[in-house]
Amino acid sequence: MTLLCDAKTDGSFLVHHFLSFYLKANCKVCFVALVQSFSHYNIVGQKLGVSLTMARERGQLIFLEGLKSSVDVFFQAQEEPHPLQFLREASAGNLEPLYQFVREALRPVDDGEATWKCPVLLVDDLSVLLSLGLGAVAVLDFIHYCRATVCQELKGNVVALVHDSGDAEDEENNILLYGLSHQSHLILRAEGLATGFCKDVHGQLRILWRRPSKPTARQDQSLTYQYKIQDRSVSFFAKGMSPAVL
C-alpha cells in the first residue's frame, strides 16, 4: 500500500502522477474520485500523456465520480445498493457497498477482454469521507478489506491520499492518518515550505519506506526532496539545490 499525504500544501499532483503511471503501465485501475470531476482528471491526464476517456472505454479504468454519484444517491431511486449509499443512511458508517464496488471492478474476468497487469485501487481522497460523517474506524476497516483483496488476493496495489490538518484536536483525522501510516509500505508526504511561498520551490516531499509486516527487519528508510510543479511535470531536487538558487 502507498499512502499519499499532504500538509499545508496541495498533494493532488501525486494522485495525477500515480494515475498516469499505472495507466501507462497497462494496469487495471479502479479510481474512487471524491474531490474532482472526471473532466478535471482527464484534462490533467492528457497533459501527462494519457487519455482517461480512452482508458475507460477499453475497460482499463473504472471511474467512480463522487461529485456526480452523490447527486444520484439523493435524487434517484436505486434498485441496488449504491457505492455511496452511506450518504442516505441516518447513521453513516457502512462502506460495504463501496468495497463491493471496488472488488467487482478489479476482479479478474475471463471473457475475452484485454489482459491487464496488476490491479490498482486509487482513492482521492479519504479525508472527504470523514467530512461526510464517517468515522475513522469505518474508513480504516474499508481500507483493510481493500488491502486484503487488492494487495493480498489479487497481488495489486492500493494508493490513497489523506490530508494532515495539523490540528491536534482533530482526533478522527489523526486516527485515520496514523492508522493508514502503520498499514503502508510507502509513504509520500508533501509539505509546504516552513519559510512560506516561493515561486521556484513549491514544497518538499518526504519519502518513507516501511515494512509493517516485518517489525524485525532493518530500520525504515527515508529521503527528502524539494520540488517545483510545472505544467506537464514535476521537478525534484535536493534541499538547497534548486536551479534558481544555483
Side-chain angles (χ1 to χ4, degrees):
M1 177 176 172
T2 301
L3 175 63
L4 312 178
C5 177
D6 57 13
K8 298 181 180 180
T9 190
D10 183 8
S12 60
F13 71 94
L14 295 172
V15 175
H16 295 299
H17 161 75
F18 278 98
L19 178 59
S20 61
F21 171 79
Y22 283 118
L23 290 178
K24 290 178 181 178
N26 210 33
C27 296
K28 180 71 173 287
V29 179
C30 176
F31 189 11
V32 179
L34 303 175
V35 179
Q36 299 286 355
S37 64
F38 177 83
S39 60
H40 168 82
Y41 293 105
N42 189 40
I43 291 173
V44 178
Q46 289 177 346
K47 292 184 177 181
L48 300 178
V50 296
S51 172
L52 271 62
T53 301
M54 293 181 61
R56 186 166 63 174
E57 290 176 352
R58 62 175 179 261
Q60 181 186 9
L61 173 66
I62 307 299
F63 190 93
L64 176 61
E65 188 170 351
L67 295 178
K68 181 179 179 180
S69 298
S70 60
V71 177
D72 296 338
V73 171
F74 283 114
F75 299 106
Q76 295 184 11
Q78 305 291 331
E79 297 181 358
E80 298 181 356
H82 192 276
L84 302 181
Q85 187 67 30
F86 68 89
L87 292 173
R88 298 189 62 177
E89 298 175 354
S91 57
N94 182 17
L95 287 175
E96 182 178 356
L98 183 57
Y99 163 72
Q100 293 297 340
F101 170 83
V102 173
R103 182 181 180 88
E104 183 66 20
L106 294 179
R107 70 178 180 87
V109 293
D110 187 15
D111 57 0
E113 292 186 1
T115 302
W116 308 110
K117 294 182 180 180
C118 67
V120 177
L121 169 62
L122 183 60
V123 185
D124 181 22
D125 68 72
L126 289 174
S127 299
V128 173
L129 296 177
L130 298 182
S131 301
L132 293 175
L134 287 165
V137 174
V139 180
L140 288 172
D141 287 344
F142 165 70
I143 290 297
H144 172 76
Y145 280 101
C146 289
R147 285 182 58 237
T149 299
V150 180
C151 300
Q152 300 297 328
E153 181 181 341
L154 302 178
K155 307 302 180 184
N157 193 18
V158 174
V159 181
L161 174 67
V162 64
H163 293 293
D164 183 359
S165 62
D167 185 359
E169 297 182 357
D170 192 350
E171 295 183 1
E172 289 295 304
N173 189 80
N174 291 334
I175 292 174
L176 178 61
L177 181 59
Y178 295 147
L180 293 173
S181 298
H182 283 293
Q183 296 183 43
S184 302
H185 297 78
L186 175 63
I187 301 175
L188 303 180
R189 179 183 173 88
E191 302 174 339
L193 296 176
T195 54
F197 173 78
C198 176
K199 68 175 183 178
D200 297 310
V201 182
H202 293 159
Q204 66 180 18
L205 183 68
R206 298 182 184 273
I207 306 173
L208 176 64
W209 288 272
R210 299 187 65 253
R211 296 168 179 79
S213 59
K214 298 180 180 179
T216 59
R218 61 177 181 173
Q219 294 182 350
D220 301 336
Q221 298 179 346
S222 64
L223 292 173
T224 300
Y225 294 97
Q226 292 181 334
Y227 65 85
K228 179 181 180 181
I229 301 176
Q230 300 172 333
D231 187 42
R232 297 176 183 271
S233 63
V234 181
S235 299
F236 293 93
F237 37 82
K239 283 186 176 182
M241 299 297 289
S242 167
V245 177
L246 299 177

